[in-house]
């Protein structure tokens, strides 16, 4: 594992997952997506370019009413499948907290998908970190400040990298500027998956 990187307070752990662990986690996430199909979320600002699904007690959903956590899939009405053990193991290794996450958001980036600068602030207690796992194609991850605007710093997140957004960095603005298509062969059909784990309560 390469040394840890501090990106404006966000801890990046390059190569936290080796190639075998990435393949196993991807298989677990495919099973999640069979139980809870990916949807194309729509926000007040229009459709997002990523597709999303969730695992755990609560899933993150958005529609014209806004963002929130829900116990059921927005289209099937079924409860979300459990968070895979392979994913929980990463949280337990890096989060630094004793509580397990109750939400696992899975974002799928296909051609041209990206994510605008945002804060993760729909949770009830910002004392808990957000842990993020990258699989597949490399993505340019930009981190700014708690306030809007100002300086930013960027890093290419690669398959198997983990990022921890906690402490003073828990509410920093961040986003994905672009994904480098074809930079990984992990996902059939190409693209990138990002998994974020949260304690929502
Ligand atoms: C992504 N990540 O990597 C988007 N949020 O595709 C996030 O929005 C994110 O990486 C909170 C904490 C870490 C993250
Ligand atoms: Fe985020």
């Amino acid at each position: 594992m390469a040394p840890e990187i501090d990106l404006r307070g966000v801890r990046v752990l390059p190569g936290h997952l080796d190639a075998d662990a990435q393949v196993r986690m991807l298989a677990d996430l495919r099973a999640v997506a069979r139980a809870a199909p990916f949807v194309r979320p729509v926000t007040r600002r229009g459709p997002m370019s990523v597709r999303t699904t969730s695992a755990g007690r609560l899933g993150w959903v958005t529609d014209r009413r806004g963002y929130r956590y829900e116990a059921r899939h927005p289209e099937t009405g079924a409860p979300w499948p459990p968070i895979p053990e392979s994913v929980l193991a990463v949280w337990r290794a890096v989060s630094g907290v004793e509580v397990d996450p109750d939400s696992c958001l899975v974002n799928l980036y296909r051609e041209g998908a990206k994510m605008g600068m945002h804060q993760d602030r729909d949770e009830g207690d910002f004392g808990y970190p957000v842990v993020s796992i990258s699989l597949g194609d490399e993505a340019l991850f930009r981190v700014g400040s708690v306030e809007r605007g100002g300086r930013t710093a960027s890093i290419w997140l690669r398959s198997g990298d983990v990022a921890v957004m906690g402490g003073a960095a828990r509410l920093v603005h961040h986003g994905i500027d672009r994904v480098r298509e074809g930079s990984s062969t992990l996902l059939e059909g190409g693209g990138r998956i990002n998994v974020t784990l949260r304690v929502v309560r």
Side-chain angles (χ1 to χ4, degrees):
M1 214 186 301
E4 187 173 319
I5 295 163
D6 178 333
L7 188 71
R8 299 183 63 82
V10 178
R11 286 173 64 206
V12 178
L13 311 173
H16 182 82
L17 296 174
D18 66 22
D20 286 348
Q22 294 169 39
V23 168
R24 284 195 297 272
M25 186 176 292
L26 186 63
D28 291 341
L29 295 172
R30 280 209 201 89
V32 165
R34 278 195 296 275
F38 281 103
V39 299
R40 165 66 60 88
V42 174
T43 72
R44 290 200 179 105
R45 289 191 274 174
M48 292 177 72
S49 59
V50 297
R51 289 188 278 161
T52 65
T53 189
S54 289
R57 192 174 63 79
L58 292 169
W60 184 86
V61 299
T62 172
D63 56 23
R64 303 225 175 261
R65 285 162 50 205
Y67 312 122
R68 62 196 178 275
Y69 284 95
E70 295 272 9
R72 289 172 181 276
H73 189 282
E75 290 175 5
T76 70
W80 304 101
I83 302 176
E85 282 297 324
S86 58
V87 174
L88 284 175
V90 172
W91 172 274
R92 290 170 185 159
V94 308
S95 70
V97 299
E98 296 297 318
V99 188
D100 273 344
D102 47 22
S103 183
C104 169
L105 171 65
V106 187
N107 289 146
L108 174 64
Y109 293 72
R110 295 289 197 196
E111 323 66 59
K114 56 195 172 145
M115 187 170 296
M117 294 292 278
H118 66 277
Q119 290 171 296
D120 283 33
R121 52 178 311 156
D122 301 323
E123 300 77 30
D125 184 343
F126 302 134
Y128 293 105
V130 180
V131 171
S132 128
I133 306 166
S134 292
L135 294 172
D137 284 344
E138 302 170 6
L140 189 57
F141 180 57
R142 179 190 296 274
V143 174
S145 310
V146 175
E147 296 74 35
R148 281 181 134 276
R151 278 174 180 283
T152 65
S154 299
I155 192 176
W156 284 95
L157 291 178
R158 300 193 167 80
S159 196
D161 292 356
V162 168
V164 184
M165 198 174 279
R170 174 61 180 77
L171 289 171
V172 293
H173 286 80
H174 58 280
I176 296 292
D177 288 346
R178 59 196 166 94
V179 174
R180 201 178 259 155
E181 275 172 48
S183 54
S184 162
T185 54
L186 184 69
L187 272 70
E188 249 171 75
R192 171 174 188 260
I193 285 181
N194 176 257
V195 173
T196 41
L197 296 163
R198 302 178 176 78
V199 176
V200 175
R201 308 276 213 169

